[in-house]
Amino acid sequence: PAPEPTQGPPLVVMPARLLRDKGTREFVEAARALKREGIAARFALVGGEDVGNPAGIPRSEVDAWVREGVVEWWGHRSDMPEVLRQSNVVCLPSYREGMPRALLEAAAMQRAIVTTDVAGCRDAVDHGRCGLLVPAKDAVALGAALKEVLLNRTRREALADAALRHARANFSETGVLQQHLALYESLLVK
């Protein structure tokens, strides 16, 4: 865990490959709307292209967003702890997930999370307590949730503190191993 940065405008990071079904376009639409409202924040796409994937976002579209000033594109990064350390909020507006490692890492770094109410994401985030869940494919709801955490530092910090506690209680390596062992033992007894 690390305290969130206090210098400059808050940074919202979306750690995901550039795919439609990761909610990339909704993230950009939400960022555009918030910037139009005068919300002082930065929005960064942190993930590589997925060339050849039919759901991939064309590089030309990403470049246009960057030129417009809506988002920054940091590309693929292998130093995610450093990326998360620079962030104030982590956003993953995915349409579907398994167990999103990006959200577990964000919680472990003590960051507020805004994500979608889909399997995997809702398993990693307790809505209203350690993050905010919004409907998938809803840029308006995504923007409203981001606005809530961007404009209220106290709320953002409370969500981040709860996210860290939630990650430690539910997703530590030791805890997950104990859950697996308990499951195996219950199956052996029967």
Side-chain angles (χ1 to χ4, degrees), residues 17-170:
R17 290 173 296 145
L18 298 175
L19 299 172
R20 283 190 307 274
D21 55 0
K22 292 292 184 182
T24 306
R25 288 188 174 125
E26 287 82 1
F27 180 77
V28 173
E29 287 177 42
R32 184 180 286 124
L34 292 173
K35 285 181 178 267
R36 250 190 311 239
E37 284 187 49
I39 305 296
R42 294 171 49 212
F43 300 86
L45 298 167
V46 182
E49 297 175 86
D50 199 341
V51 179
N53 187 324
I57 304 287
R59 174 73 181 265
S60 59
E61 191 172 352
V62 176
D63 289 342
W65 295 333
V66 171
R67 280 193 309 276
E68 183 186 345
V70 176
V71 295
E72 302 167 22
W73 180 44
W74 295 8
H76 172 79
R77 296 284 295 263
S78 58
D79 61 338
M80 287 309 294
E82 180 53 34
V83 169
L84 295 172
R85 192 171 285 110
Q86 295 175 49
S87 73
N88 300 82
V89 178
V90 173
C91 180
L92 183 64
S94 187
Y95 301 175
R96 64 189 157 279
E97 288 291 327
M99 177 54 74
R101 183 178 177 147
L103 297 183
L104 299 181
E105 291 174 346
M109 282 294 290
Q110 199 171 6
R111 292 300 180 261
I113 297 168
V114 175
T115 190
T116 46
D117 190 6
V118 299
C121 296
R122 82 171 69 95
D123 299 317
V125 174
D126 184 7
H127 176 66
R129 192 175 68 79
C130 60
L132 300 178
L133 298 175
V134 300
K137 302 180 184 181
D138 188 339
V140 173
L142 182 65
L146 288 170
K147 182 177 179 179
E148 178 182 336
V149 296
L150 287 169
L151 294 182
N152 188 336
R153 184 181 181 107
T154 302
R155 172 79 163 134
R156 188 169 68 239
E157 289 174 346
L159 291 171
D161 291 344
L164 176 60
R165 288 191 305 276
H166 185 69
R168 285 179 170 158
N170 296 289

